[in-house]
């Protein structure tokens, strides 16, 4: 276990929070805690199957023991005025996280994260997007 986890364990009131940027091909994950309230990129999951994705998430949950999850949720609509297919899948992903781990899961508008990092589209930026989503949660909710 790394030094940051040992430090967190010595302060029982500090809680680890994971942020997720859900995508069909990749899932970005970031982490932060309720003391510092600063999000940092953690990992990008490239697995193809749902089972493989959740196996990787399970390893991180076991290691870090987060208290909450925050999932980015796109609030835009498509041309037919219906929720976008990514928004529907993000909600499903958030429900799966809660169902698998019984960890309270929040959703936060992720529209601004896409605008902030749109210049980096050619690179794998999913974990940085997750960090922006989690940082937004820290800034708005805590």
């Amino acid at each position: 276990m790394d030094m940051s986890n040992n430090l967190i364990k010595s302060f029982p009131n500090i809680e680890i929070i994971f942020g997720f940027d859900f995508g069909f091909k990749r899932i970005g994950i970031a982490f932060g805690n309720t003391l510092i309230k600063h999000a940092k990129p953690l990992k990008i999951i490239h697995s193809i199957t749902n089972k493989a994705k959740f196996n990787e998430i399970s390893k991180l949950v076991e290691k870090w023991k987060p208290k909450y999850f925050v999932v980015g949720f796109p609030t835009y609509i498509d041309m037919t005025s219906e929720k976008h297919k990514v928004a529907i899948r993000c909600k499903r992903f958030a429900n799966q996280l809660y169902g698998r781990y019984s960890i309270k899961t929040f959703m936060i508008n992720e529209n601004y994260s896409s605008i902030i990092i749109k210049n980096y589209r050619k690179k794998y930026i999913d974990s940085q997007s997750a960090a922006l989503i989690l940082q937004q949660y820290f800034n708005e909710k805590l």
Side-chain angles (χ1 to χ4, degrees):
M1 189 165 291
D2 63 30
M3 193 166 103
S4 61
N5 267 353
N6 289 334
L7 182 62
I8 296 292
K9 286 184 175 187
S10 63
F11 294 95
N13 294 334
I14 299 173
E15 300 169 327
I16 297 289
I17 301 175
F18 276 4
F20 292 90
D21 179 32
F22 174 82
F24 296 124
K25 294 181 180 178
R26 293 176 305 279
I27 298 173
I29 304 174
F31 74 100
N33 67 61
T34 55
L35 175 66
I36 299 172
K37 298 178 186 156
H38 179 75
K40 295 189 70 134
L42 179 62
K43 183 176 178 90
I44 299 172
I45 295 176
H46 296 270
S47 301
I48 296 172
T49 67
N50 210 33
K51 181 178 179 181
K53 288 174 186 174
F54 277 103
N55 282 342
E56 289 194 50
I57 293 169
S58 293
K59 290 175 189 173
L60 294 172
V61 168
E62 180 63 31
K63 178 179 179 181
W64 290 86
K65 307 213 182 316
K67 180 73 173 180
Y68 304 108
F69 294 141
V70 176
V71 176
F73 183 75
T75 57
Y76 53 91
I77 54 177
D78 67 16
M79 299 304 282
T80 64
S81 299
E82 294 181 12
K83 285 186 178 177
H84 195 276
K85 63 182 177 181
V86 176
I88 295 166
R89 292 286 300 271
C90 285
K91 179 72 173 161
R92 181 174 175 228
F93 176 71
N95 288 339
Q96 288 175 319
L97 285 172
Y98 179 75
R100 287 175 184 260
Y101 306 107
S102 298
I103 293 175
K104 191 163 185 171
T105 303
F106 300 97
M107 300 195 73
I108 192 159
N109 181 344
E110 75 166 18
N111 291 350
Y112 300 113
S113 66
S114 299
I115 293 168
I116 291 169
I117 58 174
K118 76 178 191 177
N119 294 333
Y120 301 100
R121 286 285 178 218
K122 301 283 186 206
K123 300 177 184 175
Y124 291 131
I125 51 155
D126 307 272
S127 60
Q128 287 94 344
S129 296
L132 285 172
I133 290 164
L134 182 54
Q135 191 62 52
Q136 183 178 340
Y137 174 81
F138 286 143
N139 295 345
E140 293 178 6
K141 306 297 182 190
L142 295 181

